[in-house]
Amino acid sequence: MRAAKCDNPVYFAQFTLKITETGVGGKPIQTTLQWEQETLGVPNLGRRKIIAGGQEMEVIGLLGRDVLQHCRMVYDGLGGIIDVEFDLSAMKLSPSQ
């Protein structure tokens, strides 16, 4: 299989992903993941809008396999809910307190 030619711009981006979970006694535990990488520009992404919960939202980026490989995602289209569960042990990280 041969890859298709791609003329999309490439950007160097900094990502921050905050994950909050409930700890012992109901105390919230937050883990912040930060990394830098080259990303591929998506044509006209800034002009795309989605409707979620009856509200228009701006699309600012897409999560790719490099992030999604560490999570389980359940999409309830009828309910308009996306549940993303990250496996921190797969990412070899521990929560910050």
Side-chain angles (χ1 to χ4, degrees):
M1 178 180 232
R2 192 172 172 174
K5 184 178 181 209
C6 179
D7 292 325
N8 294 4
V10 175
Y11 301 96
F12 190 72
Q14 296 177 331
F15 292 94
T16 301
L17 178 65
K18 294 183 180 182
I19 303 168
T20 303
E21 58 186 315
T22 304
V24 177
K27 179 182 175 185
I29 300 172
Q30 185 172 43
T31 301
T32 301
L33 308 174
Q34 294 182 307
W35 70 96
E36 299 175 340
Q37 71 182 56
E38 287 186 347
T39 60
L40 185 63
V42 177
N44 303 315
L45 184 63
R47 289 188 277 174
R48 299 172 196 256
K49 307 284 186 216
I50 60 170
I51 304 295
Q55 296 181 15
E56 185 177 286
M57 302 177 78
E58 183 180 6
V59 178
I60 60 169
L62 304 171
L63 292 178
R65 291 176 288 189
D66 52 343
V67 173
L68 295 176
Q69 70 181 337
H70 300 291
C71 73
R72 176 178 293 118
M73 185 169 58
V74 177
Y75 175 63
D76 176 359
L78 294 175
I81 298 170
I82 300 173
D83 184 36
V84 181
E85 177 182 321
F86 283 87
D87 181 354
L88 298 179
S89 65
M91 300 172 102
K92 297 180 175 44
L93 300 170
S94 59
S96 57
Q97 308 252 352

